[in-house]
Amino acid sequence: MPPVETSRSQFRQVADQLRAAIEAGEYPPGSELPSELELASDYQVSRQTINQAVRLLRSEGLVLVRRGKGTTVREIPVIHRAALTRYQRQERERGGGRGAFDTEIKGMGLAPRSETTVDTVEAPADVAAALGLEPGAQVVRRQRRMYANDVPVQLAPSYIPADIATGTQLAEVDSGPGGIISRFADLGLPQTRITEAVRVRRPTDEEQQFLRLAEDDQPVVEIFHVGWSGDRAVEVAVHAVPAYGWVLDYAWETS
Amino acid sequence: MPPVETSRSQFRQVADQLRAAIEAGEYPPGSELPSELELASDYQVSRQTINQAVRLLRSEGLVLVRRGKGTTVREIPVIHRAALTRYQRQERERGGGRGAFDTEIKGMGLAPRSETTVDTVEAPADVAAALGLEPGAQVVRRQRRMYANDVPVQLAPSYIPADIATGTQLAEVDSGPGGIISRFADLGLPQTRITEAVRVRRPTDEEQQFLRLAEDDQPVVEIFHVGWSGDRAVEVAVHAVPAYGWVLDYAWETS
DNA sequence: TCTTATTTGTTCGTATGTATT
DNA sequence: GAATACATACGAACAAATAAG
């Protein structure tokens, strides 16, 4: 069953057929695809052509390719992130989840897990600018690594000016019930306004490694999140997620 | 100056160098890159390797490749879209712009232009579901094609149930001052709530052609926008923009 | 630990097709 | 029609990661 149309390149036709087969359930989530040599034989094309087709599927996040092992179908379904309700205390604590991420992942029937590390570093340039700090100013960094069913799905460091966080629970790994948002309120710095800038970009090396993006041809969505207490920016969080693996939901009342 | 590191593939190293050269201004926006044969000679690699490198830059939206002509650097800077202020009447009419898009593009020093066509069609499945209509129900479609400096930057059809729009200015190409949002208000259906779902996906054929995405390896960002009047969904707009060419800005007060 | 087979990643040379000028 | 430039495809080869023994 070799590709026949001449208007569309062979590797795109092969990718189309593999994509359709995956979506039809012929290759269920987690299952192995045939090796490139087998596929080349099946489709009567060269291995390069198969390699290009699989590369396309890989860039779409549809398959996970590991050299020496083979190619498997993505296991995690698309994750929804509700941008506004996640900052309501009631929602964050709903269902016994310890935060918005926990609640969302559980709601999909997946098992959430996250690891947090805390340290003090120099603020990256864009973070310093957003926080109104001098370049290189010290900030407390809370590095969060998030998993669904043990698959890494989000890397989200957040940054708080050192003069706010040092000596408080904001600089502790365990941020307590309701998460750090509730801690800010306890400190007399309730976050009253949120701004988020959403963009698509190439991953950093760290993101590439953590999110298992085999190469840098898989884009990520960055959510550059700033929490304001009055006129003061008190927290920046830089969420990075695989671009094809998430849907961001926003909702608001119009004035 | 051939690539030397062995840890990173040659085509990625070439892409890195070309990307750096573009960002350094060595190849300004709109300028021509050397031909693949010249680059192959410059970097002492095969033309395939150059082709793969350029394909990577193309998928990032950094260059525009046209067969038979050559490769040019992207001309349009990244465009910001302010999601919330665009639905305030004052903002939409600011600066003489005839809508939020006009205002945003002018603010960047670019020349906005948009073409609108109106027809009545069967609602696509996802649109019908969002509007609470039967599959295949009739809707008025306002197809908008938007340009900045004559470069296509956004394709955004919007759909309104036929029983609302037919016979009103909502079904006219000229939607009047303040755009269709103001027309809804005039009809006693003011939009009081907005929901937007943001996702990254492959472009449709139509989007690929209009946005000049040479092949379907350039992702788009889809903003699936629903306008509600009370509990009733009265309008769906499906914004599609090149994934790497836009930043979406959201801002809201926390309760 | 070392060896070998398997599987994907990359590169080259070569050739042909398609679009533009 | 000819020249130029990008798109695709194949065969061959070697590199790198993994797994099995």
Side-chain angles (χ1 to χ4, degrees), chain A residues 206-252:
Chain A
E206 188 181 13
E207 290 160 359
Q208 188 183 134
Q209 188 161 25
F210 174 70
L211 296 172
R212 294 189 197 168
L213 310 179
E215 293 297 338
D216 60 2
D217 49 6
Q218 288 183 71
V220 296
V221 168
E222 173 190 290
I223 304 162
F224 192 91
H225 172 286
V226 183
W228 302 77
S229 189
D231 288 340
R232 183 180 185 190
V234 295
E235 181 198 12
V236 167
V238 182
H239 302 255
V241 300
Y244 284 92
W246 287 68
V247 176
L248 314 181
D249 291 315
Y250 290 89
W252 66 94

mmCIF file of all heavy atoms in Angstrom, chain A residues 206-252:
data_model
loop_
_atom_site.group_PDB
_atom_site.id
_atom_site.type_symbol
_atom_site.label_atom_id
_atom_site.label_comp_id
_atom_site.label_asym_id
_atom_site.label_seq_id
_atom_site.Cartn_x
_atom_site.Cartn_y
_atom_site.Cartn_z
ATOM 1 N N GLU A 206 16.554 22.750 29.586
ATOM 2 C CA GLU A 206 15.984 22.120 30.780
ATOM 3 C C GLU A 206 14.576 21.583 30.501
ATOM 4 O O GLU A 206 14.237 20.470 30.906
ATOM 5 C CB GLU A 206 15.954 23.143 31.923
ATOM 6 C CG GLU A 206 15.566 22.529 33.254
ATOM 7 C CD GLU A 206 15.513 23.571 34.362
ATOM 8 O OE1 GLU A 206 15.539 24.782 34.054
ATOM 9 O OE2 GLU A 206 15.438 23.170 35.542
ATOM 10 N N GLU A 207 13.772 22.394 29.830
ATOM 11 C CA GLU A 207 12.418 21.962 29.496
ATOM 12 C C GLU A 207 12.440 20.752 28.575
ATOM 13 O O GLU A 207 11.671 19.801 28.731
ATOM 14 C CB GLU A 207 11.655 23.107 28.838
ATOM 15 C CG GLU A 207 11.320 24.233 29.795
ATOM 16 C CD GLU A 207 11.018 25.541 29.095
ATOM 17 O OE1 GLU A 207 11.082 25.577 27.851
ATOM 18 O OE2 GLU A 207 10.731 26.531 29.784
ATOM 19 N N GLN A 208 13.346 20.801 27.613
ATOM 20 C CA GLN A 208 13.468 19.707 26.656
ATOM 21 C C GLN A 208 13.754 18.395 27.369
ATOM 22 O O GLN A 208 13.146 17.363 27.076
ATOM 23 C CB GLN A 208 14.594 20.047 25.679
ATOM 24 C CG GLN A 208 14.741 19.127 24.507
ATOM 25 C CD GLN A 208 15.939 19.521 23.658
ATOM 26 O OE1 GLN A 208 16.715 18.687 23.268
ATOM 27 N NE2 GLN A 208 16.097 20.809 23.410
ATOM 28 N N GLN A 209 14.653 18.471 28.331
ATOM 29 C CA GLN A 209 15.043 17.254 29.039
ATOM 30 C C GLN A 209 13.913 16.760 29.951
ATOM 31 O O GLN A 209 13.544 15.588 29.909
ATOM 32 C CB GLN A 209 16.297 17.538 29.855
ATOM 33 C CG GLN A 209 16.907 16.295 30.490
ATOM 34 C CD GLN A 209 18.344 16.524 30.881
ATOM 35 O OE1 GLN A 209 18.749 17.661 31.113
ATOM 36 N NE2 GLN A 209 19.123 15.457 30.951
ATOM 37 N N PHE A 210 13.365 17.677 30.719
ATOM 38 C CA PHE A 210 12.339 17.254 31.673
ATOM 39 C C PHE A 210 11.078 16.751 30.983
ATOM 40 O O PHE A 210 10.497 15.735 31.366
ATOM 41 C CB PHE A 210 11.990 18.398 32.625
ATOM 42 C CG PHE A 210 10.838 18.057 33.536
ATOM 43 C CD1 PHE A 210 10.985 17.130 34.546
ATOM 44 C CD2 PHE A 210 9.601 18.652 33.358
ATOM 45 C CE1 PHE A 210 9.922 16.786 35.374
ATOM 46 C CE2 PHE A 210 8.528 18.328 34.172
ATOM 47 C CZ PHE A 210 8.694 17.395 35.185
ATOM 48 N N LEU A 211 10.641 17.463 29.967
ATOM 49 C CA LEU A 211 9.383 17.104 29.309
ATOM 50 C C LEU A 211 9.569 15.988 28.281
ATOM 51 O O LEU A 211 8.630 15.642 27.558
ATOM 52 C CB LEU A 211 8.764 18.341 28.646
ATOM 53 C CG LEU A 211 8.331 19.471 29.603
ATOM 54 C CD1 LEU A 211 7.925 20.713 28.816
ATOM 55 C CD2 LEU A 211 7.183 19.001 30.491
ATOM 56 N N ARG A 212 10.790 15.451 28.215
ATOM 57 C CA ARG A 212 11.085 14.351 27.282
ATOM 58 C C ARG A 212 10.813 14.753 25.843
ATOM 59 O O ARG A 212 10.296 13.932 25.056
ATOM 60 C CB ARG A 212 10.252 13.103 27.613
ATOM 61 C CG ARG A 212 10.593 12.477 28.946
ATOM 62 C CD ARG A 212 9.889 11.136 29.065
ATOM 63 N NE ARG A 212 9.830 10.658 30.443
ATOM 64 C CZ ARG A 212 9.065 9.642 30.835
ATOM 65 N NH1 ARG A 212 8.290 9.036 29.968
ATOM 66 N NH2 ARG A 212 9.078 9.255 32.094
ATOM 67 N N LEU A 213 11.136 15.990 25.505
ATOM 68 C CA LEU A 213 11.033 16.410 24.118
ATOM 69 C C LEU A 213 12.320 15.943 23.451
ATOM 70 O O LEU A 213 13.396 16.479 23.702
ATOM 71 C CB LEU A 213 10.882 17.932 24.029
ATOM 72 C CG LEU A 213 9.777 18.502 24.933
ATOM 73 C CD1 LEU A 213 9.708 20.015 24.801
ATOM 74 C CD2 LEU A 213 8.437 17.873 24.598
ATOM 75 N N ALA A 214 12.188 14.896 22.640
ATOM 76 C CA ALA A 214 13.371 14.211 22.121
ATOM 77 C C ALA A 214 14.335 15.209 21.486
ATOM 78 O O ALA A 214 15.536 15.147 21.686
ATOM 79 C CB ALA A 214 12.960 13.157 21.100
ATOM 80 N N GLU A 215 13.806 16.135 20.724
ATOM 81 C CA GLU A 215 14.650 17.156 20.113
ATOM 82 C C GLU A 215 13.930 18.481 20.225
ATOM 83 O O GLU A 215 12.815 18.551 20.698
ATOM 84 C CB GLU A 215 14.943 16.810 18.653
ATOM 85 C CG GLU A 215 15.813 15.575 18.505
ATOM 86 C CD GLU A 215 17.194 15.778 19.127
ATOM 87 O OE1 GLU A 215 17.622 16.941 19.289
ATOM 88 O OE2 GLU A 215 17.840 14.771 19.457
ATOM 89 N N ASP A 216 14.570 19.535 19.788
ATOM 90 C CA ASP A 216 13.973 20.851 20.013
ATOM 91 C C ASP A 216 13.001 21.241 18.907
ATOM 92 O O ASP A 216 12.742 22.408 18.701
ATOM 93 C CB ASP A 216 15.053 21.907 20.203
ATOM 94 C CG ASP A 216 15.964 22.003 18.987
ATOM 95 O OD1 ASP A 216 15.703 21.279 18.012
ATOM 96 O OD2 ASP A 216 16.903 22.790 19.023
ATOM 97 N N ASP A 217 12.470 20.263 18.191
ATOM 98 C CA ASP A 217 11.480 20.614 17.186
ATOM 99 C C ASP A 217 10.054 20.477 17.722
ATOM 100 O O ASP A 217 9.101 20.588 16.973
ATOM 101 C CB ASP A 217 11.666 19.790 15.902
ATOM 102 C CG ASP A 217 11.814 18.309 16.192
ATOM 103 O OD1 ASP A 217 11.657 17.920 17.363
ATOM 104 O OD2 ASP A 217 12.076 17.558 15.255
ATOM 105 N N GLN A 218 9.937 20.221 19.016
ATOM 106 C CA GLN A 218 8.616 20.192 19.627
ATOM 107 C C GLN A 218 8.400 21.475 20.403
ATOM 108 O O GLN A 218 9.063 21.697 21.415
ATOM 109 C CB GLN A 218 8.494 19.009 20.586
ATOM 110 C CG GLN A 218 8.409 17.665 19.901
ATOM 111 C CD GLN A 218 8.224 16.542 20.897
ATOM 112 O OE1 GLN A 218 7.181 16.396 21.488
ATOM 113 N NE2 GLN A 218 9.265 15.755 21.089
ATOM 114 N N PRO A 219 7.484 22.332 19.968
ATOM 115 C CA PRO A 219 7.301 23.609 20.656
ATOM 116 C C PRO A 219 6.647 23.437 22.016
ATOM 117 O O PRO A 219 6.004 22.430 22.294
ATOM 118 C CB PRO A 219 6.385 24.385 19.701
ATOM 119 C CG PRO A 219 5.668 23.345 18.918
ATOM 120 C CD PRO A 219 6.599 22.174 18.809
ATOM 121 N N VAL A 220 6.845 24.431 22.861
ATOM 122 C CA VAL A 220 6.145 24.478 24.144
ATOM 123 C C VAL A 220 5.284 25.733 24.177
ATOM 124 O O VAL A 220 5.538 26.701 23.463
ATOM 125 C CB VAL A 220 7.111 24.507 25.350
ATOM 126 C CG1 VAL A 220 7.924 23.225 25.420
ATOM 127 C CG2 VAL A 220 8.006 25.717 25.309
ATOM 128 N N VAL A 221 4.252 25.688 25.000
ATOM 129 C CA VAL A 221 3.482 26.882 25.316
ATOM 130 C C VAL A 221 4.023 27.428 26.627
ATOM 131 O O VAL A 221 4.147 26.680 27.606
ATOM 132 C CB VAL A 221 1.980 26.586 25.448
ATOM 133 C CG1 VAL A 221 1.247 27.772 26.060
ATOM 134 C CG2 VAL A 221 1.380 26.248 24.103
ATOM 135 N N GLU A 222 4.375 28.702 26.622
ATOM 136 C CA GLU A 222 4.806 29.364 27.854
ATOM 137 C C GLU A 222 3.692 30.267 28.351
ATOM 138 O O GLU A 222 3.141 31.060 27.601
ATOM 139 C CB GLU A 222 6.064 30.202 27.608
ATOM 140 C CG GLU A 222 6.436 31.043 28.827
ATOM 141 C CD GLU A 222 7.532 32.058 28.526
ATOM 142 O OE1 GLU A 222 8.672 31.626 28.318
ATOM 143 O OE2 GLU A 222 7.238 33.278 28.501
ATOM 144 N N ILE A 223 3.366 30.109 29.628
ATOM 145 C CA ILE A 223 2.407 31.008 30.264
ATOM 146 C C ILE A 223 3.200 31.841 31.265
ATOM 147 O O ILE A 223 3.649 31.336 32.296
ATOM 148 C CB ILE A 223 1.295 30.226 30.976
ATOM 149 C CG1 ILE A 223 0.604 29.282 29.991
ATOM 150 C CG2 ILE A 223 0.283 31.183 31.613
ATOM 151 C CD1 ILE A 223 -0.195 28.190 30.670
ATOM 152 N N PHE A 224 3.388 33.101 30.920
ATOM 153 C CA PHE A 224 4.165 33.995 31.785
ATOM 154 C C PHE A 224 3.171 34.709 32.696
ATOM 155 O O PHE A 224 2.466 35.635 32.290
ATOM 156 C CB PHE A 224 4.956 34.995 30.938
ATOM 157 C CG PHE A 224 5.995 35.754 31.699
ATOM 158 C CD1 PHE A 224 7.295 35.275 31.795
ATOM 159 C CD2 PHE A 224 5.687 36.957 32.318
ATOM 160 C CE1 PHE A 224 8.272 35.971 32.483
ATOM 161 C CE2 PHE A 224 6.649 37.658 33.025
ATOM 162 C CZ PHE A 224 7.941 37.175 33.108
ATOM 163 N N HIS A 225 3.136 34.228 33.917
ATOM 164 C CA HIS A 225 2.078 34.584 34.852
ATOM 165 C C HIS A 225 2.617 35.558 35.891
ATOM 166 O O HIS A 225 3.669 35.303 36.497
ATOM 167 C CB HIS A 225 1.588 33.291 35.523
ATOM 168 C CG HIS A 225 0.632 33.474 36.651
ATOM 169 N ND1 HIS A 225 1.013 33.927 37.892
ATOM 170 C CD2 HIS A 225 -0.701 33.256 36.730
ATOM 171 C CE1 HIS A 225 -0.043 33.981 38.684
ATOM 172 N NE2 HIS A 225 -1.095 33.577 38.003
ATOM 173 N N VAL A 226 1.931 36.669 36.087
ATOM 174 C CA VAL A 226 2.337 37.656 37.082
ATOM 175 C C VAL A 226 1.190 37.879 38.050
ATOM 176 O O VAL A 226 0.061 38.147 37.631
ATOM 177 C CB VAL A 226 2.729 38.998 36.430
ATOM 178 C CG1 VAL A 226 3.213 39.980 37.492
ATOM 179 C CG2 VAL A 226 3.814 38.786 35.378
ATOM 180 N N GLY A 227 1.485 37.726 39.347
ATOM 181 C CA GLY A 227 0.496 38.018 40.371
ATOM 182 C C GLY A 227 0.766 39.378 40.996
ATOM 183 O O GLY A 227 1.896 39.681 41.374
ATOM 184 N N TRP A 228 -0.282 40.202 41.067
ATOM 185 C CA TRP A 228 -0.144 41.564 41.563
ATOM 186 C C TRP A 228 -0.890 41.713 42.883
ATOM 187 O O TRP A 228 -1.999 41.213 43.022
ATOM 188 C CB TRP A 228 -0.722 42.569 40.569
ATOM 189 C CG TRP A 228 -0.104 42.521 39.211
ATOM 190 C CD1 TRP A 228 -0.352 41.602 38.244
ATOM 191 C CD2 TRP A 228 0.852 43.440 38.668
ATOM 192 N NE1 TRP A 228 0.403 41.885 37.127
ATOM 193 C CE2 TRP A 228 1.142 43.005 37.356
ATOM 194 C CE3 TRP A 228 1.485 44.583 39.162
ATOM 195 C CZ2 TRP A 228 2.052 43.675 36.527
ATOM 196 C CZ3 TRP A 228 2.385 45.253 38.339
ATOM 197 C CH2 TRP A 228 2.667 44.796 37.035
ATOM 198 N N SER A 229 -0.277 42.416 43.819
ATOM 199 C CA SER A 229 -0.973 42.822 45.024
ATOM 200 C C SER A 229 -1.080 44.334 44.960
ATOM 201 O O SER A 229 -0.115 45.049 45.223
ATOM 202 C CB SER A 229 -0.205 42.377 46.271
ATOM 203 O OG SER A 229 -0.982 42.601 47.428
ATOM 204 N N GLY A 230 -2.255 44.806 44.566
ATOM 205 C CA GLY A 230 -2.371 46.226 44.262
ATOM 206 C C GLY A 230 -1.523 46.549 43.040
ATOM 207 O O GLY A 230 -1.647 45.901 42.009
ATOM 208 N N ASP A 231 -0.637 47.541 43.177
ATOM 209 C CA ASP A 231 0.207 47.930 42.052
ATOM 210 C C ASP A 231 1.549 47.210 42.051
ATOM 211 O O ASP A 231 2.390 47.474 41.200
ATOM 212 C CB ASP A 231 0.470 49.447 42.092
ATOM 213 C CG ASP A 231 -0.767 50.228 41.714
ATOM 214 O OD1 ASP A 231 -1.656 49.637 41.075
ATOM 215 O OD2 ASP A 231 -0.830 51.425 42.050
ATOM 216 N N ARG A 232 1.716 46.317 43.009
ATOM 217 C CA ARG A 232 3.021 45.691 43.147
ATOM 218 C C ARG A 232 3.005 44.256 42.610
ATOM 219 O O ARG A 232 2.170 43.440 43.022
ATOM 220 C CB ARG A 232 3.426 45.688 44.629
ATOM 221 C CG ARG A 232 4.813 45.120 44.861
ATOM 222 C CD ARG A 232 5.160 45.152 46.331
ATOM 223 N NE ARG A 232 6.531 44.721 46.537
ATOM 224 C CZ ARG A 232 7.069 44.466 47.717
ATOM 225 N NH1 ARG A 232 6.344 44.643 48.807
ATOM 226 N NH2 ARG A 232 8.314 44.064 47.828
ATOM 227 N N ALA A 233 3.932 43.951 41.706
ATOM 228 C CA ALA A 233 4.073 42.574 41.219
ATOM 229 C C ALA A 233 4.800 41.781 42.280
ATOM 230 O O ALA A 233 5.921 42.122 42.659
ATOM 231 C CB ALA A 233 4.847 42.545 39.905
ATOM 232 N N VAL A 234 4.162 40.733 42.812
ATOM 233 C CA VAL A 234 4.743 39.992 43.924
ATOM 234 C C VAL A 234 5.190 38.584 43.539
ATOM 235 O O VAL A 234 5.918 37.938 44.283
ATOM 236 C CB VAL A 234 3.752 39.905 45.103
ATOM 237 C CG1 VAL A 234 3.482 41.292 45.668
ATOM 238 C CG2 VAL A 234 2.458 39.233 44.691
ATOM 239 N N GLU A 235 4.754 38.106 42.394
ATOM 240 C CA GLU A 235 5.128 36.745 42.003
ATOM 241 C C GLU A 235 5.090 36.599 40.492
ATOM 242 O O GLU A 235 4.179 37.099 39.831
ATOM 243 C CB GLU A 235 4.149 35.726 42.625
ATOM 244 C CG GLU A 235 4.486 34.283 42.287
ATOM 245 C CD GLU A 235 3.323 33.313 42.516
ATOM 246 O OE1 GLU A 235 2.197 33.797 42.723
ATOM 247 O OE2 GLU A 235 3.553 32.107 42.471
ATOM 248 N N VAL A 236 6.088 35.900 39.970
ATOM 249 C CA VAL A 236 6.092 35.533 38.556
ATOM 250 C C VAL A 236 6.210 34.021 38.472
ATOM 251 O O VAL A 236 7.058 33.428 39.136
ATOM 252 C CB VAL A 236 7.263 36.191 37.792
ATOM 253 C CG1 VAL A 236 7.436 35.550 36.412
ATOM 254 C CG2 VAL A 236 7.039 37.687 37.636
ATOM 255 N N ALA A 237 5.352 33.392 37.679
ATOM 256 C CA ALA A 237 5.458 31.956 37.427
ATOM 257 C C ALA A 237 5.554 31.747 35.920
ATOM 258 O O ALA A 237 4.804 32.357 35.158
ATOM 259 C CB ALA A 237 4.253 31.207 37.988
ATOM 260 N N VAL A 238 6.489 30.910 35.511
ATOM 261 C CA VAL A 238 6.688 30.648 34.086
ATOM 262 C C VAL A 238 6.319 29.193 33.812
ATOM 263 O O VAL A 238 7.134 28.286 33.997
ATOM 264 C CB VAL A 238 8.141 30.930 33.660
ATOM 265 C CG1 VAL A 238 8.299 30.706 32.155
ATOM 266 C CG2 VAL A 238 8.545 32.347 34.043
ATOM 267 N N HIS A 239 5.097 28.984 33.415
ATOM 268 C CA HIS A 239 4.628 27.636 33.127
ATOM 269 C C HIS A 239 5.055 27.236 31.717
ATOM 270 O O HIS A 239 4.827 27.990 30.776
ATOM 271 C CB HIS A 239 3.098 27.564 33.204
ATOM 272 C CG HIS A 239 2.532 27.983 34.525
ATOM 273 N ND1 HIS A 239 2.050 27.085 35.439
ATOM 274 C CD2 HIS A 239 2.371 29.202 35.080
ATOM 275 C CE1 HIS A 239 1.614 27.741 36.517
ATOM 276 N NE2 HIS A 239 1.793 29.023 36.315
ATOM 277 N N ALA A 240 5.640 26.055 31.594
ATOM 278 C CA ALA A 240 5.999 25.537 30.269
ATOM 279 C C ALA A 240 5.391 24.158 30.106
ATOM 280 O O ALA A 240 5.609 23.274 30.940
ATOM 281 C CB ALA A 240 7.519 25.476 30.111
ATOM 282 N N VAL A 241 4.624 23.992 29.044
ATOM 283 C CA VAL A 241 3.954 22.718 28.775
ATOM 284 C C VAL A 241 4.119 22.370 27.298
ATOM 285 O O VAL A 241 4.279 23.265 26.467
ATOM 286 C CB VAL A 241 2.445 22.792 29.112
ATOM 287 C CG1 VAL A 241 2.239 23.118 30.581
ATOM 288 C CG2 VAL A 241 1.734 23.806 28.239
ATOM 289 N N PRO A 242 4.102 21.084 26.964
ATOM 290 C CA PRO A 242 4.178 20.707 25.541
ATOM 291 C C PRO A 242 3.025 21.341 24.768
ATOM 292 O O PRO A 242 1.865 21.253 25.185
ATOM 293 C CB PRO A 242 4.059 19.179 25.567
ATOM 294 C CG PRO A 242 4.488 18.784 26.935
ATOM 295 C CD PRO A 242 4.047 19.902 27.841
ATOM 296 N N ALA A 243 3.342 21.965 23.637
ATOM 297 C CA ALA A 243 2.345 22.791 22.968
ATOM 298 C C ALA A 243 1.102 22.022 22.560
ATOM 299 O O ALA A 243 -0.009 22.535 22.662
ATOM 300 C CB ALA A 243 2.972 23.471 21.741
ATOM 301 N N TYR A 244 1.279 20.778 22.120
ATOM 302 C CA TYR A 244 0.123 20.040 21.618
ATOM 303 C C TYR A 244 -0.620 19.296 22.718
ATOM 304 O O TYR A 244 -1.626 18.651 22.458
ATOM 305 C CB TYR A 244 0.563 19.041 20.546
ATOM 306 C CG TYR A 244 0.881 19.671 19.215
ATOM 307 C CD1 TYR A 244 2.171 20.080 18.906
ATOM 308 C CD2 TYR A 244 -0.106 19.855 18.267
ATOM 309 C CE1 TYR A 244 2.477 20.646 17.671
ATOM 310 C CE2 TYR A 244 0.173 20.415 17.036
ATOM 311 C CZ TYR A 244 1.470 20.809 16.746
ATOM 312 O OH TYR A 244 1.761 21.368 15.537
ATOM 313 N N GLY A 245 -0.139 19.358 23.945
ATOM 314 C CA GLY A 245 -0.713 18.525 24.975
ATOM 315 C C GLY A 245 -1.683 19.223 25.901
ATOM 316 O O GLY A 245 -2.211 18.593 26.814
ATOM 317 N N TRP A 246 -1.939 20.502 25.681
ATOM 318 C CA TRP A 246 -2.742 21.249 26.629
ATOM 319 C C TRP A 246 -3.765 22.134 25.932
ATOM 320 O O TRP A 246 -3.561 22.560 24.796
ATOM 321 C CB TRP A 246 -1.851 22.148 27.501
ATOM 322 C CG TRP A 246 -1.059 21.390 28.528
ATOM 323 C CD1 TRP A 246 -0.037 20.535 28.285
ATOM 324 C CD2 TRP A 246 -1.226 21.426 29.955
ATOM 325 N NE1 TRP A 246 0.445 20.035 29.466
ATOM 326 C CE2 TRP A 246 -0.266 20.562 30.498
ATOM 327 C CE3 TRP A 246 -2.091 22.110 30.803
ATOM 328 C CZ2 TRP A 246 -0.145 20.356 31.878
ATOM 329 C CZ3 TRP A 246 -1.973 21.906 32.164
ATOM 330 C CH2 TRP A 246 -1.002 21.037 32.693
ATOM 331 N N VAL A 247 -4.840 22.419 26.631
ATOM 332 C CA VAL A 247 -5.798 23.444 26.214
ATOM 333 C C VAL A 247 -5.931 24.411 27.387
ATOM 334 O O VAL A 247 -6.090 23.977 28.539
ATOM 335 C CB VAL A 247 -7.173 22.851 25.860
ATOM 336 C CG1 VAL A 247 -8.164 23.968 25.526
ATOM 337 C CG2 VAL A 247 -7.062 21.879 24.702
ATOM 338 N N LEU A 248 -5.836 25.694 27.101
ATOM 339 C CA LEU A 248 -5.957 26.710 28.147
ATOM 340 C C LEU A 248 -7.341 27.326 28.080
ATOM 341 O O LEU A 248 -7.757 27.838 27.038
ATOM 342 C CB LEU A 248 -4.899 27.800 27.956
ATOM 343 C CG LEU A 248 -3.479 27.316 27.675
ATOM 344 C CD1 LEU A 248 -2.536 28.513 27.538
ATOM 345 C CD2 LEU A 248 -3.003 26.375 28.759
ATOM 346 N N ASP A 249 -8.065 27.262 29.183
ATOM 347 C CA ASP A 249 -9.424 27.791 29.213
ATOM 348 C C ASP A 249 -9.476 29.088 30.010
ATOM 349 O O ASP A 249 -9.028 29.136 31.166
ATOM 350 C CB ASP A 249 -10.374 26.763 29.846
ATOM 351 C CG ASP A 249 -10.568 25.541 28.962
ATOM 352 O OD1 ASP A 249 -10.770 25.737 27.754
ATOM 353 O OD2 ASP A 249 -10.509 24.416 29.480
ATOM 354 N N TYR A 250 -10.013 30.109 29.371
ATOM 355 C CA TYR A 250 -10.210 31.392 30.035
ATOM 356 C C TYR A 250 -11.693 31.731 29.998
ATOM 357 O O TYR A 250 -12.383 31.383 29.042
ATOM 358 C CB TYR A 250 -9.406 32.501 29.342
ATOM 359 C CG TYR A 250 -7.910 32.372 29.530
ATOM 360 C CD1 TYR A 250 -7.143 31.631 28.642
ATOM 361 C CD2 TYR A 250 -7.284 32.987 30.603
ATOM 362 C CE1 TYR A 250 -5.769 31.499 28.818
ATOM 363 C CE2 TYR A 250 -5.911 32.875 30.785
ATOM 364 C CZ TYR A 250 -5.174 32.123 29.893
ATOM 365 O OH TYR A 250 -3.820 32.000 30.091
ATOM 366 N N ALA A 251 -12.160 32.403 31.017
ATOM 367 C CA ALA A 251 -13.562 32.815 31.062
ATOM 368 C C ALA A 251 -13.663 34.059 31.919
ATOM 369 O O ALA A 251 -12.980 34.172 32.940
ATOM 370 C CB ALA A 251 -14.445 31.707 31.645
ATOM 371 N N TRP A 252 -14.462 35.022 31.471
ATOM 372 C CA TRP A 252 -14.598 36.235 32.261
ATOM 373 C C TRP A 252 -15.898 36.956 31.922
ATOM 374 O O TRP A 252 -16.496 36.732 30.876
ATOM 375 C CB TRP A 252 -13.402 37.164 32.042
ATOM 376 C CG TRP A 252 -13.281 37.727 30.664
ATOM 377 C CD1 TRP A 252 -13.765 38.918 30.225
ATOM 378 C CD2 TRP A 252 -12.650 37.125 29.527
ATOM 379 N NE1 TRP A 252 -13.472 39.088 28.896
ATOM 380 C CE2 TRP A 252 -12.786 38.007 28.445
ATOM 381 C CE3 TRP A 252 -11.973 35.915 29.325
ATOM 382 C CZ2 TRP A 252 -12.270 37.729 27.182
ATOM 383 C CZ3 TRP A 252 -11.464 35.643 28.056
ATOM 384 C CH2 TRP A 252 -11.618 36.537 27.011
#
